[in-house]
Each structure stands twice: as structure tokens, then as C-alpha cells.
């Protein structure tokens, strides 16, 4: 019983929206890397080739050969722009329904592509390492960053389990 209560609190804590201070820290860090689209996707592919292998345009290709291509820039920009869109809406309680809709859609179309939670966690660790080494970083920024990803991933994982978040 005690365990269930702890679990329930953990779930509530994870779903709590970001405070405006956390949103400011997150935006400040993201602003420093949000135009590094190609480098971010290359860092993800380089750390986790199994992610690269899920992209029909890039499977089986040498990262050094594709990194400078227009197709790579296009994909990188799509992914990073999505993250920018969600981060721009963070800290604004009125925007929560919009965030939910956007992230439910992302979760659903990645479920349809057969992407696993493990791969999402790989993506998380690669992009977090990138941010920590290319933006001004500290415990407070890391806490805001992780809080944001916990919230977004709760929605994505729920979709991967077949339950869009209402
Ligand atoms: C939070 C993490 C992620 C974000 C924000 C993200 C974002 C996106 C976006 C915006 C698109 C293009 C539009 C769309 O169809 O939705 C896309 C496509 C795609 N994503 Fe992700 N993605 C993430 C994680 C992953 C992971 C972990 C994988 C694979 C292991 C993956 C594989 C793909 C594939 C295969 C496509 C289709 C590419 C194509 O059109 O050829 N994504 N992603």
C-alpha cells in the first residue's frame, strides 16, 4: 500500500507542469543549441546507430557521407523544430492542451513506426549529453531539462503503450 502511494505521488510529480523559473532555464539552455540541428542529429546517430537505422533515407549509410546532405538537414530541422515548438510553449499553463495534442501525435506516429521506449531513452541520453556539453549547464538547468523530458516522455510512452493522454 505504502508503495502504491509513493508510486502515485511519483506519477503526479512527473506530470506537474514546469514552473516559469524552470521554463526560463530550459529556454536559455535550448537557445544556445537550437540552431545546431545537424550536429544534434549527428550526435544522436553517432551514439546510437540503431536510431539511424530506423530512418529509411539513412539506413546503412556512413554518417560522414550523409551529414552534409540536404536530406539530413531537413530531417534534423524537423526534429529540432518540434522540440523548439514544445519548449516555446513550456511555462505557459494555457498552452498545456496544445502541448498534449502535439506530443500525443508524435507518440502515436512513432508508435506506428515501431519505435521502442528503449530507443526513446537512447535519444534522450544523446540529446542530454549534447546539451550538457554545448550549453551553459548546472544542476538547476539539468533539473529543469529532466523535468521537461519526464513530462513529454510520460505522454509519448503512454502512446507507445496504446493510451493517448486525454
Ligand atoms: C523526443 C524524441 C523525438 C522527436 C522529438 C522526434 C521528432 C520527429 C519528427 C518531428 C519527425 C517528422 C515528422 C513526423 O513524422 O512526426 C520524425 C520522424 C521520424 N522519427 Fe522521430 N523523433 C524522436 C525520436 C525518435 C526516435 C528515438 C526514433 C528512432 C529510433 C525516431 C525515428 C523517426 C523516423 C524513422 C521518422 C520518419 C523519418 C522519415 O520520414 O523518413 N524518432 N521524428
Amino acid at each position: 500500500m505504502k508503495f502504491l502511494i509513493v508510486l502515485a505521488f511519483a506519477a503526479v510529480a512527473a506530470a506537474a507542469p514546469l514552473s516559469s523559473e524552470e521554463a526560463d532555464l530550459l529556454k536559455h539552455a535550448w537557445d544556445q543549441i537550437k540552431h545546431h540541428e545537424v550536429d544534434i542529429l549527428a550526435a544522436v546517430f553517432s551514439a546510437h546507430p540503431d536510431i539511424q537505422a530506423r530512418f529509411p533515407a539513412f539506413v546503412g549509410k556512413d554518417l560522414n557521407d550523409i551529414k552534409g546532405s540536404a536530406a539530413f538537414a531537413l530531417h534534423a530541422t524537423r526534429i529540432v523544430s518540434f522540440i523548439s515548438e514544445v519548449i516555446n510553449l513550456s511555462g505557459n499553463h494555457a498552452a498545456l492542451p496544445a502541448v498534449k495534442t502535439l506530443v500525443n501525435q508524435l507518440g502515436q506516429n512513432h508508435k506506428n513506426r515501431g519505435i521502442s521506449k528503449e530507443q526513446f531513452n537512447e535519444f534522450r541520453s544523446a540529446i542530454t549529453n549534447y546539451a550538457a556539453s554545448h550549453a551553459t549547464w548546472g544542476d538547476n538547468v539539468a533539473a529543469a531539462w529532466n523535468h521537461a523530458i519526464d513530462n513529454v516522455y510520460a505522454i509519448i510512452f503512454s502512446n507507445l503503450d496504446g493510451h493517448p493522454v486525454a
Side-chain angles (χ1 to χ4, degrees), residues 41 44-45 48-58 74-86 102-103 105-110 113-124 127 149 152-153 156:
L41 189 60
V44 170
F45 283 2
H48 301 289
D50 63 296
I51 296 187
Q52 180 178 327
R54 300 308 297 264
F55 284 75
F58 308 129
L74 183 68
H75 279 281
T77 302
R78 277 193 195 136
I79 294 168
V80 171
S81 300
F82 178 90
I83 298 172
S84 289
E85 204 174 349
V86 170
L102 281 170
V103 180
Q105 279 167 0
L106 185 94
Q108 194 52 52
N109 64 36
H110 283 70
R113 293 188 178 104
I115 309 302
S116 67
K117 292 182 190 175
E118 289 71 23
Q119 287 179 309
F120 269 100
N121 283 332
E122 289 175 349
F123 182 97
R124 175 180 187 151
I127 197 167
I149 302 191
V152 166
Y153 270 41
I156 292 175

Side-chain angles (χ1 to χ4, degrees), residues 58-113:
F58 308 129
V59 57
K61 297 192 176 157
D62 187 324
L63 184 53
N64 290 319
D65 294 339
I66 55 175
K67 198 183 161 189
S69 69
F72 196 89
L74 183 68
H75 279 281
T77 302
R78 277 193 195 136
I79 294 168
V80 171
S81 300
F82 178 90
I83 298 172
S84 289
E85 204 174 349
V86 170
I87 290 180
N88 283 339
L89 295 172
S90 69
N92 172 2
H93 286 210
L96 284 174
V99 171
K100 236 183 250 176
T101 301
L102 281 170
V103 180
N104 268 329
Q105 279 167 0
L106 185 94
Q108 194 52 52
N109 64 36
H110 283 70
K111 176 183 168 60
N112 295 343
R113 293 188 178 104

